[in-house]
């Protein structure tokens, strides 16, 4: 239970500090302003949960593919590397306003391209679709698929995904998954409910600084821990 709690705590703290102010956080906030929040939240969370589980599975399998000693050293290196990366972003980064504008501009292209078509549909057709729609059909909704794909591919190869892999290789994978999912749920729910106003008020520099220090602490702890 101690190993699960340790993996859970590390994963929760890492996920929250990595995801707040991230591009996927901004994307969820903007999508929730233009589409039903329930579908956006469902799509974003589904993508992030799948990504967290896949990342933890890769980290869990790593010690079986290479020696435990090497996987431990690689994980330690990743923590220090991500810590330095985050601190560099905090000190020399352009800030969250520019990133928010970039994400909004990308989503605007698709919004303007598809918005005109939707306005032509009649109210009668909309009512019929609502009556015929059941819960499972929401997973085939274009809004769900859009939110899912933006978050899934946005997280692929991201710092938080690689850090989850490294954490699962060094800690209890079950605890890492639980902490990661809870962290993703908290951040995504805050983005969807708070919307753009919350996203624009977040200081990405402070988040990056806090995340960088956390990664450095994880790296020092991993470096000092004996290889089992």
């Amino acid at each position: 239970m101690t190993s699960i709690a340790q993996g859970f705590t590390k994963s929760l703290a890492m996920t929250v500090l990595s995801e707040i102010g991230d591009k996927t956080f901004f994307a969820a906030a903007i999508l929730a302003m233009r589409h039903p929040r329930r579908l956006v939240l469902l799509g974003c969370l589904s993508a992030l949960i799948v990504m967290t589980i896949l990342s933890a599975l890769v980290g869990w399998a790593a010690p079986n593919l290479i020696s435990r000693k090497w996987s431990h050293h690689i994980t330690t290196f990743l923590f220090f590397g991500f810590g330095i990366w985050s601190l560099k972003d905090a000190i020399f980064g352009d800030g969250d306003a520019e990133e928010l504008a970039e994400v909004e501009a990308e989503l605007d292209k698709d919004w303007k391209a598809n918005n005109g078509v939707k306005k032509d549909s009649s109210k009668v057709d909309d009512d019929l679709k609502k009556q015929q729609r059941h819960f499972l059909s929401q997973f085939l909704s274009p809004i769900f698929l859009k939110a899912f794909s933006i978050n899934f591919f946005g997280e692929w190869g991201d710092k938080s995904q690689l850090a989850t892999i490294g954490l699962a290789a060094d800690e209890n994978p079950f605890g890492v998954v639980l902490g990661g999912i809870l962290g993703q749920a908290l951040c995504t729910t805050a983005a969807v409910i708070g919307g753009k106003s919350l996203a624009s008020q977040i200081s990405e520099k402070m988040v990056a600084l806090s995340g960088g220090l956390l990664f450095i602490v994880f790296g020092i702890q991993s470096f000092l821990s004996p290889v089992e």
Side-chain angles (χ1 to χ4, degrees):
M1 288 298 295
T2 304
S3 62
I4 294 178
Q6 184 169 306
F8 172 84
T9 304
K10 283 187 174 182
S11 181
L12 176 61
M14 180 203 69
T15 302
V16 170
L17 289 176
S18 296
E19 291 302 319
I20 290 182
D22 193 31
K23 282 190 175 181
T24 52
F25 182 90
F26 290 141
I30 296 171
L31 285 171
M33 296 174 61
R34 302 171 176 176
H35 304 290
R37 290 180 176 179
R38 181 180 60 183
L39 288 177
V40 172
L41 182 62
L42 186 63
C44 293
L45 274 183
S46 299
L48 296 172
I49 289 172
V50 170
M51 180 61 71
T52 300
I53 294 175
L54 289 177
S55 301
L57 286 175
V58 173
W60 170 76
N64 298 319
L65 300 176
I66 58 178
S67 69
R68 179 70 182 177
K69 179 180 178 180
W70 275 106
S71 66
H72 179 80
H73 291 331
I74 291 173
T75 299
T76 303
F77 174 79
L78 284 175
F79 285 149
F80 280 118
F82 291 145
I84 295 172
W85 183 2
S86 295
L87 292 176
K88 177 178 173 292
D89 287 343
I91 297 172
F92 302 106
D94 295 328
D96 56 312
E98 201 167 303
E99 186 168 11
L100 175 59
E102 179 185 342
V103 174
E104 192 169 20
E106 291 176 0
L107 293 176
D108 274 340
K109 294 179 182 178
D110 183 61
W111 170 258
K112 291 177 181 177
N114 297 326
N115 197 34
V117 178
K118 293 180 180 179
K119 288 182 178 179
D120 294 335
S121 59
S122 65
K123 187 178 183 302
V124 176
D125 291 339
D126 287 340
D127 292 339
L128 286 175
K129 288 179 181 178
K130 288 179 182 179
Q131 293 174 6
Q132 295 172 354
R133 178 176 292 173
H134 51 82
F135 178 76
L136 292 178
S137 70
Q138 295 180 9
F139 291 95
L140 299 178
S141 165
I143 299 171
F144 170 86
L145 296 176
K146 181 178 181 180
F148 184 95
S149 60
I150 288 175
N151 279 265
F152 185 84
F153 293 108
E155 285 293 308
W156 192 265
D158 190 59
K159 178 173 54 180
S160 58
Q161 187 211 10
L162 297 177
T164 300
I165 293 174
L167 197 59
D170 219 36
E171 300 289 345
N172 185 289
F174 184 67
V176 172
V177 169
L178 290 180
I181 290 176
L182 178 59
Q184 298 284 12
L186 292 174
C187 293
T188 306
T189 302
V192 169
I193 295 176
K196 183 181 174 183
S197 58
L198 174 62
S200 61
Q201 292 174 10
I202 292 174
S203 172
E204 188 180 356
K205 288 184 180 294
M206 288 302 299
V207 173
L209 180 63
S210 302
L213 292 175
L214 183 68
F215 278 123
I216 295 294
V217 170
F218 286 173
I220 294 174
Q221 184 185 34
S222 181
F223 179 77
L224 297 176
S225 299
V227 181
E228 298 179 359

